[in-house]
Amino acid sequence: MGKMRMQSAPWRAAAVLASVLLVGGVAACGNSDTGGGGSKDDGKITMGFSQVGAESGWRTANTTSIKESAAAAGIELKFDDAQQKQENQIKAIRNYIQQKVDVIAFSPVVESGWDTVLKEAKDAGIPVILTDRSVDSADKTLYKTFLGSDFVKEGRLAGEWLVEQKKSASGPVNIVELQGNTGAAPANDRKKGFGEAIAANPNLKIIASQPGDFTRAGGKQVMEQFLKAYPKIDVLFAHNDDMGLGALEAITAAGKTPGKDITIITVDAVKDGMQALADGKFNFIAECSPLLGPQLMDLAKKVHAGEEVPPRIETEETTFTTEQAKEALPNRKY
Ligand code: AHR
């Protein structure tokens, strides 16, 4: 008896450790029942988020929206910037799996090549939410839902506007296209939607199409090449505002007037793009909303609680002409 009461310090430490491990194990099981990996049992949801990068004004606004919404929703956010590299995103997701976060959310830099890591998350019992951009995985059970825009529609709206503007053109209308980064859903889909829409008028021809990686520097550099290679450019379709803004510099430097000599159509409607539109340097913008944070946090709570969520949730968006941009600018948040 005496021996039992008088445990040595190492034995007492081992007993405490065993009971902590037991309680921890039970807590982990409890969390996985609710659909989450469960790092701890304090009732707080932990989200691991892998962001594409910081390539554009849109992306900056999206990151702010996610960080602010996580704080407002009481969700602990682990955030990683992948610097536009898929391998960095895969590494971040694997880290989140190891850390046993409750939910993983990410905006895939490209559409393909995610099945293996998504399967790892699924096997670990951690639900995945795709936001902004989707993946082309055939197995839809690898993620819970997608939240973001209809990029094909954005491209189509841009193309339809151009078809209307050029309906009385009697000769060829030469279009150059600045694509987003190769393999990205918004680059693939905007190209598709725009191409389908302009097919309505055989005068409208894409004479050159190159990736500018969604950055101002990329847009400027590729537009400089286009201007050197093609003496007659009538229209620029840029897959985002930032590439369009970079192209403005190249067009002005080439002695042309943006918005007049070259009609400029972009996507996003961030403040700088809207200012260019209001100033008559851009001619039309199809909106893509970056303010996905509040809906994302709501979805995270639902999937963590094991609730059913729709497989795809699309953001409501509009389009802007110069007049509409002038009106909307004073209240534009990003
Ligand atoms: O995925 C959304 C796109 O990514 C935005 O249109 C672009 O600006 C960003 O970089």
Side-chain angles (χ1 to χ4, degrees), residues 67-125:
K67 287 184 175 172
E68 286 179 357
S69 308
I75 290 180
E76 188 182 326
L77 186 71
K78 293 174 186 286
F79 183 91
D80 184 80
D81 175 340
Q83 301 181 346
Q84 298 245 55
K85 292 200 175 90
Q86 183 175 32
E87 65 262 34
N88 290 348
Q89 288 203 296
I90 291 175
K91 206 164 138 199
I93 293 167
R94 290 203 166 121
N95 278 338
Y96 295 146
I97 295 171
Q98 259 190 346
Q99 291 170 39
K100 296 187 165 61
V101 299
D102 297 301
V103 180
I104 291 172
F106 78 114
S107 172
V109 61
V110 289
E111 275 187 293
S112 305
W114 298 102
D115 288 19
T116 306
V117 74
L118 287 177
K119 174 111 184 13
E120 288 168 25
K122 188 179 174 188
D123 290 346

Side-chain angles (χ1 to χ4, degrees), residues 52 54-59 84 107-108 131-133 149 151 154 181 184-187 190 213-215 239-242 267-268 270 288:
V52 168
E55 73 282 4
S56 62
W58 189 99
R59 190 64 55 198
Q84 298 245 55
S107 172
T131 177
D132 162 34
R133 301 180 181 183
S149 305
F151 298 132
E154 292 166 354
N181 61 289
R190 287 172 188 164
D213 295 340
F214 285 124
T215 66
H239 287 189
N240 78 344
D241 286 339
D242 279 78
V267 184
D268 276 358
V270 296
C288 177

